[in-house]
Amino acid sequence: DYLIDFVVALSESFDIQPDGIQVSVVTFGNKGKVYFYLDEFSTKEDVVESIRALECKRENTNTTGGLWVTRNDVFGSAGNRDDSDDVIIMVTDGKPTRDEDMLDDEIDKLEDDDIKLIAIGVGKADEEFLQTLVDDSSDYFYLLDYPNLGDVTEAVSARACGKEIEIETGEATEEPETE
């Protein structure tokens, strides 16, 4: 599964440890669901093993639910460290189909809580919508299909760590239009 491979590769790019980078995985199909919390695993190997065990389900796209659960249950948990930046890396191939009327409010709350959002749109993802979610255009990526997720792993990892990037696109990878 290309999505699982991407999340594994992204996790492997981080220095995961109790006093370093911590990772959580949340899905947002019919509802937001935490698969594991920030302090649940202390090694990169344990994180990768848990990610590889995930099953991707074909459900709706409850972006609001996923962001709410991440903000409240992941970043609002005892496992979140006060001295660390909170970053959400969201991958979607659709547009919100559940609780869309509450999404703007949830985005405002992410901003109020100083949570950075990196959005990755794939295939039929609503590019215009996703571009509105990020504060910096460098935090938005669009790919024509899932096999190309690997093309942006390094750039997404760099952005998650607050680094500036230059994007080199592959054949089937497109950059969003900008003004």
Side-chain angles (χ1 to χ4, degrees):
D1 181 280
Y2 295 109
L3 181 57
I4 297 294
D5 292 343
F6 170 72
V7 177
V8 165
L10 193 59
S11 297
E12 289 177 334
S13 75
F14 297 132
D15 181 23
I16 296 173
Q17 55 181 314
D19 294 328
I21 294 174
Q22 295 178 305
V23 176
S24 173
V25 171
V26 176
T27 60
F28 53 101
N30 292 331
K31 61 182 182 176
K33 178 181 179 184
V34 179
Y35 273 91
F36 59 87
Y37 290 87
L38 294 168
D39 61 348
E40 198 162 329
F41 302 110
S42 59
T43 68
K44 188 179 302 190
E45 294 76 22
D46 289 341
V47 168
V48 167
E49 182 179 334
S50 183
I51 293 167
R52 290 216 181 274
L54 294 174
E55 291 182 35
C56 292
K57 298 178 181 176
R58 293 306 230 174
E59 296 181 334
N60 290 292
T61 305
N62 190 343
T63 308
T64 306
L67 295 175
W68 187 94
V69 164
T70 304
R71 184 175 58 80
N72 289 285
D73 295 350
V74 174
F75 296 139
S77 73
N80 190 29
R81 297 189 318 265
D82 290 336
D83 63 340
S84 297
D85 294 334
D86 294 334
V87 179
I88 296 172
I89 300 170
M90 181 178 77
V91 180
T92 185
D93 61 1
K95 64 180 187 174
T97 57
R98 294 211 167 190
D99 298 329
E100 310 96 304
D101 58 322
M102 297 185 289
L103 186 57
D104 288 340
D105 186 47
E106 189 56 40
I107 295 299
D108 290 343
K109 289 176 182 175
L110 291 175
E111 291 173 4
D112 291 346
D113 290 351
D114 201 27
I115 298 171
K116 177 181 181 147
L117 179 63
I118 298 172
I120 305 168
V122 181
K124 296 180 182 177
D126 185 338
E127 291 183 76
E128 186 176 317
F129 159 72
L130 289 173
Q131 289 173 2
T132 66
L133 299 181
V134 298
D135 290 331
D136 183 326
S137 62
S138 296
D139 293 332
Y140 171 74
F141 301 86
Y142 175 74
L143 302 152
L144 291 177
D145 48 33
Y146 278 103
N148 294 356
L149 277 169
D151 294 347
V152 298
T153 305
E154 188 176 327
V156 171
S157 176
R159 290 303 298 154
C161 294
K163 298 176 183 169
E164 295 299 319
I165 58 164
E166 286 187 34
I167 300 173
E168 292 185 29
T169 59
E171 284 182 28
T173 305
E174 294 181 357
E175 292 184 60
E177 293 182 12
T178 57
E179 294 184 324

